[in-house]
Amino acid sequence: MTLKRMDNVGIVVEDLSAAVDFFAELGLELEGRGLVEGEWAGRITGLGDQRVEIAMMRTPDGHSRIELSRFLAPQVIADHRNAPVNALGYLRVMFAVDDLDETLRRLTARGAQLVGEVVQYERSYRLCYIRGPEGILIGLAQELG
């Protein structure tokens, strides 16, 4: 059997509405929002009886998704939002954009902060990292040519 696809990347946030608004500004579409709760869900995560508000955001091409989650129970027990890019674990989500400068203007108006600087890799890409809502690390790449 072979891998069919990657369905989504999960990100835990405190302010679900602000995260949804930010990723919508980036260009993702809200696919759905709801509550996942109960013992059955806790059996998957190992957290027991849980209540989680989720929002599924879809890329415009329909192939990729981000699942934003806000845990109501149990409480969040760790905070990795401001870890540097060389920390173990989740690093970032990278998005391809048409116009990096315009995307940065829109996202900084929503509170995003540039990490480092915008760089050009050979004649292929312009790239940067930003910190989005709650310090989430996001990569942006504009293909050149």
Side-chain angles (χ1 to χ4, degrees):
M1 180 173 270
T2 61
L3 180 72
K4 292 173 65 173
R5 68 180 172 270
M6 183 190 81
D7 279 335
N8 66 68
V9 172
I11 301 173
V12 177
V13 298
E14 284 184 308
D15 187 338
L16 188 61
S17 293
V20 166
D21 290 346
F22 183 87
F23 283 104
E25 184 68 40
L26 179 57
L28 279 76
E29 302 164 15
L30 180 63
E31 189 173 64
R33 192 168 173 163
L35 191 63
V36 176
E37 60 184 330
E39 179 268 336
W40 72 270
R43 288 197 329 260
I44 298 167
T45 63
L47 294 176
D49 195 20
Q50 67 181 37
R51 294 186 72 230
V52 184
E53 185 181 6
I54 67 164
M56 193 65 75
M57 305 289 296
R58 179 182 58 233
T59 57
D61 65 4
H63 295 297
S64 302
R65 290 169 179 75
I66 290 183
E67 179 181 306
L68 301 169
S69 302
R70 182 173 78 97
F71 276 80
L72 305 171
Q75 291 184 16
V76 173
I77 62 165
D79 189 341
H80 304 283
R81 291 176 288 192
N82 293 311
V85 298
N86 62 341
L88 295 174
Y90 161 79
L91 175 57
R92 52 102 179 108
V93 176
M94 177 70 76
F95 293 98
V97 298
D98 289 331
D99 184 335
L100 184 58
D101 296 324
E102 173 59 24
T103 302
L104 282 173
R105 275 193 291 279
R106 289 192 345 263
L107 297 180
T108 55
R110 290 208 172 257
Q113 296 179 344
L114 184 63
V115 174
E117 59 187 86
V118 176
V119 298
Q120 184 167 323
Y121 174 71
E122 298 179 348
R123 294 181 180 160
S124 302
Y125 289 95
R126 290 183 68 226
L127 305 152
C128 69
Y129 284 173
I130 61 171
R131 291 276 181 189
E134 302 183 39
I136 297 168
L137 189 60
I138 298 167
L140 301 174
Q142 176 184 347
E143 193 169 8
L144 300 175

